[in-house]
Amino acid sequence: QVLMVESGGGLVQPGGSLKLSCAAPERRFSIESVEWFREASGKERELVAALESDGRTNYAESAKGRFTISRDDTRTTAYLQMNNLQLEDTAKYSCIARDKGLRAYWGRGTQVTVSG
């Protein structure tokens, strides 16, 4: 089973920033589209940001103006830049990437904790 490799989570104070990464293991495939989800304790999973194959992006209202989803030129790594983090952003963040055949690949997630 191919799993995306997520990293970049951690503990940050309110107002701080983190940049999450979502990498195709061993660069096995090209990331055509990617979505970042988050799941906070006791809450339903929420779509935070999405990047389409043509470059279009979509964000949850809570993420607009603070988060930026992107992909590197090799299309093997996707990112979620998160600025001005707030307490309510605390959650486990996961990515789903799709290749040219629209096959989906999940990651195990990376924990983001905003506290201070």
Side-chain angles (χ1 to χ4, degrees), residues 14-25:
S17 299
L18 287 173
K19 187 173 184 177
L20 307 183
S21 298
C22 170

Side-chain angles (χ1 to χ4, degrees), residues 7 11 45 54 86 97:
S7 61
L11 175 64
R45 190 176 67 186
D54 61 3
Q86 302 300 313

Side-chain angles (χ1 to χ4, degrees), residues 66-81:
R66 301 188 300 130
F67 294 4
T68 303
I69 189 171
S70 63
R71 178 178 53 201
D72 69 359
D73 290 342
T74 67
R75 293 199 173 199
T76 56
T77 304
Y79 304 97
L80 183 67
Q81 174 69 46

Side-chain angles (χ1 to χ4, degrees), residues 91-108:
K92 187 173 186 179
Y93 287 70
S94 302
C95 66
I96 299 178
R98 288 176 172 78
D99 61 16
K100 290 182 179 180
L102 300 181
R103 286 178 290 266
Y105 303 88
W106 285 89
R108 295 188 185 278

